[in-house]
Amino acid sequence: RKEVEQDPGPFNVPEGATVAFNCTYSNSASQSFFWYRQDCRKEPKLLMSVYSSGNEDGRFTAQLNRASQYISLLIRDSKLSDSATYLCVVANDYKLSFGAGTTVTVRA
Amino acid sequence: DADVTQTPRNRITKTGKRIMLECSQTKGHDRMYWYRQDPGLGLQLIYYSFDVKDINKGEISDGYSVSRQAQAKFSLSLESAIPNQTALYFCATSDEQGGLNTGELFFGEGSRLTVL
């Protein structure tokens, strides 16, 4: 079983829509959680951390459910520039484990 | 200029050839990493180094070796390349608070390697 699993999508949404997707992780002792963004053929970049109480960063909301071992990302009022692959990242011991990513395409 | 620079950016080679991918950084970070990315698999950690004298194997180190020549330089070698090493390779850095704490790795732009 993969340490971090994501629905690959793609999620195709119109501008202004809300899109949400989850990621599940297998290690219940995982310590920290993050979302990265990766544009096509580019390097990944940190989008935001995920805190136990949930947190927002502008139009982005991240939630953590330790009991069910999943984290989620919600994007409100989608922009064309939000089109990217979103990588779920889980920290365990010495390393970060990356999911394969969820692709979001926002259309005009 | 990018803070984390990888060379070459693209390379096509043949089975059995020795290949070196180089990474240099100007961020002043002690920690450096090599990942490979394959479609549908996510980023997998090959090797990591927390300082010049510290080298550690990651999840998929077989067939790879590394050298940390200086704080700013971390190179990845494929001694005898094989087709299933065809992938996109990323170098990354973090400070001591990065990685597990803040989750922030700074990636290079990637090196696309094709082994025929």
Side-chain angles (χ1 to χ4, degrees):
Chain A
R1 182 182 175 188
K2 292 180 183 178
E3 289 190 55
V4 181
E5 299 208 48
Q6 297 184 247
D7 180 346
F11 287 76
N12 294 304
V13 299
E15 269 189 297
T18 295
V19 59
F21 41 90
N22 293 339
C23 146
T24 59
Y25 60 95
S26 61
N27 187 345
S28 60
S30 296
Q31 301 154 299
S32 309
F33 309 88
F34 312 94
W35 284 103
Y36 269 69
R37 171 193 170 124
Q38 185 173 23
D39 293 320
C40 187
R41 298 182 180 276
K42 298 285 190 180
E43 71 274 23
K45 294 183 179 179
L46 179 65
L47 177 66
M48 60 193 299
S49 300
V50 185
Y51 301 123
S52 296
S53 56
N55 51 295
E56 288 188 8
D57 184 358
R59 297 179 293 105
F60 295 82
T61 300
Q63 297 277 356
L64 168 63
N65 185 318
R66 284 191 182 271
S68 300
Q69 295 181 210
Y70 75 85
I71 68 175
S72 64
L73 183 66
L74 181 147
I75 308 172
R76 289 188 304 278
D77 187 23
S78 298
K79 311 293 185 189
L80 294 175
S81 58
D82 294 334
S83 297
T85 296
Y86 293 86
L87 309 180
C88 174
V89 182
V90 176
N92 297 299
D93 297 325
Y94 65 91
K95 69 181 182 76
L96 298 178
S97 296
F98 286 77
T102 297
T103 298
V104 172
T105 302
V106 181
R107 62 183 187 272
Chain B
D1 289 339
D3 292 326
V4 183
T5 303
Q6 293 184 229
T7 56
R9 296 290 313 281
N10 289 283
R11 181 72 182 269
I12 299 174
T13 191
K14 295 182 179 180
T15 297
K17 294 292 188 181
R18 183 177 187 273
I19 296 296
M20 178 180 287
L21 305 180
E22 297 183 332
C23 177
S24 62
Q25 51 113 348
T26 59
K27 298 195 71 68
H29 289 165
D30 286 327
R31 300 184 176 195
M32 298 188 74
Y33 313 79
W34 275 105
Y35 286 88
R36 66 175 278 176
Q37 187 174 38
D38 299 274
L41 289 181
L43 288 159
Q44 296 174 275
L45 183 62
I46 306 172
Y47 271 94
Y48 62 102
S49 169
F50 282 177
D51 66 41
V52 175
K53 297 180 181 179
D54 175 74
I55 302 288
N56 302 282
K57 293 182 177 181
E59 309 166 80
I60 55 163
S61 58
D62 287 349
Y64 302 95
S65 62
V66 291
S67 173
R68 185 81 184 266
Q69 301 95 323
Q71 186 206 35
K73 295 184 182 296
F74 192 36
S75 60
L76 176 71
S77 293
L78 289 68
E79 295 300 327
S80 179
I82 56 176
N84 76 359
Q85 291 178 312
T86 293
L88 181 58
Y89 290 84
F90 285 105
C91 174
T93 75
S94 73
D95 60 20
E96 289 186 11
Q97 297 305 314
L100 299 183
N101 294 326
T102 67
E104 188 155 28
L105 299 180
F106 296 87
F107 286 87
E109 294 178 301
S111 296
R112 188 168 296 277
L113 176 66
T114 303
V115 184
L116 302 177

